[in-house]
Amino acid sequence: EVQLVESGGGLVQPGGSLKLSCAASGFTFSGSAMHWVRQASGKGLEWVGRIRSKANSYATAYAASVKGRFTISRDDSKNTAYLQMNSLKTEDTAVYYCTRQDTALWGQGTLVTVSS
Amino acid sequence: DVVMTQSPLSLPVTLGQPASISCRSSQSLVHSDGNTYLNWFQQRPGQSPRRLIYKVSNRDSGVPDRFSGSGSGTDFTLKISRVEAEDVGVYYCMQGTHWLITFGQGTRLEIK
């Protein structure tokens, strides 16, 4: 089955860290860039960042709101993409989705809550 | 960053009537490869986004033909020819042409 499954969300204090995972199946993961997109409760979609494939040197790009705090990586041997989130702020509270390069395939999302 | 501006932000529609959503970009979305990477998404309550239209006017598999996309350059439109109850949700445009991807604010479609 072609799918993406996010995991790793939870409650974390401001200033803390969390690492999300996105497990892919049913397509050639290694050849696809992967995006992370987030959505705060009742708000719109916000692109977080992207990692390209090995053929594109695993190049990454980030939204200004997370640059320097978040890092996207991937392990093609595990068909998994990651989002390392450091120095978390209350405004990072959101459902985090991963999506494939073409944005035709999305996971179910994982909720991150940053609160004391 | 490229700013994507949708209008209207709220769209009450009578069942069976047409609906139209506008999306304007602050820069041209024509890529150097000649393609225009403008997608439309539907997000039903409690669900993940679902891509409806890619590269301006190409409908995804399984998307009813009452949905259509058009436009060029900086001005794009999503049209629903006859709204059905299952179309309730929020619609987003997204540009993938420029290095940093951006979404529109979303348009909430509701049944009048």
Side-chain angles (χ1 to χ4, degrees):
Chain A
E1 182 183 2
V2 180
Q3 64 177 357
L4 297 170
V5 179
E6 300 96 336
S7 61
L11 174 63
V12 60
Q13 292 188 337
S17 298
L18 204 59
K19 187 173 184 177
L20 307 183
S21 299
C22 169
S25 59
F27 65 97
T28 306
F29 176 80
S30 61
S32 178
M34 297 297 297
H35 301 273
W36 286 93
V37 175
R38 69 183 180 182
Q39 185 172 39
S41 179
K43 304 297 184 182
L45 300 172
E46 179 187 15
W47 180 79
V48 171
R50 165 190 61 224
I51 185 165
R52 287 187 159 171
S53 64
K54 181 179 181 180
N56 290 290
S57 304
Y58 299 125
T60 56
Y62 301 93
S65 58
V66 306
K67 194 171 184 179
R69 301 188 298 123
F70 289 12
T71 302
I72 299 174
S73 61
R74 62 191 296 160
D75 184 338
D76 291 344
S77 69
K78 296 182 178 179
N79 287 346
T80 301
Y82 303 98
L83 178 64
Q84 175 68 48
M85 303 183 293
N86 298 331
S87 303
L88 281 161
K89 306 175 182 180
T90 55
E91 53 263 41
D92 295 319
T93 295
V95 173
Y96 285 74
Y97 297 99
C98 62
T99 176
R100 196 174 60 186
Q101 174 175 330
D102 60 4
T103 67
L105 180 65
W106 293 65
Q108 84 288 351
T110 187
L111 176 62
V112 173
T113 303
V114 184
S115 175
S116 55
Chain B
D1 296 3
V2 177
V3 177
M4 305 296 288
T5 303
Q6 290 182 228
S7 63
L9 299 184
S10 179
L11 185 55
V13 183
T14 300
L15 286 173
Q17 293 301 301
S20 180
I21 300 171
S22 170
C23 176
R24 291 189 169 137
S25 58
S26 61
Q27 299 178 39
S28 173
L29 299 187
V30 180
H31 193 275
S32 57
D33 65 8
N35 290 306
T36 300
Y37 295 98
L38 185 284
N39 298 343
W40 288 97
F41 298 87
Q42 175 194 62
Q43 189 175 32
R44 292 172 171 150
Q47 296 186 11
S48 300
R50 169 198 182 195
R51 196 180 73 177
L52 299 176
I53 302 284
Y54 62 96
K55 287 193 284 185
V56 181
S57 60
N58 297 276
R59 206 166 34 245
D60 272 281
S61 175
V63 174
D65 60 9
R66 64 178 182 274
F67 289 91
S68 64
S70 63
S72 63
T74 62
D75 200 348
F76 305 92
T77 303
L78 175 70
K79 291 184 178 177
I80 310 173
S81 59
R82 295 173 305 279
V83 169
E84 297 189 6
E86 66 178 18
D87 300 335
V88 166
V90 182
Y91 292 80
Y92 298 91
C93 60
M94 183 212 85
Q95 68 80 20
T97 293
H98 297 272
W99 183 245
L100 301 183
I101 289 173
T102 44
F103 288 90
Q105 318 97 300
T107 295
R108 184 174 301 276
L109 187 150
E110 62 179 39
I111 303 302
K112 198 186 294 183

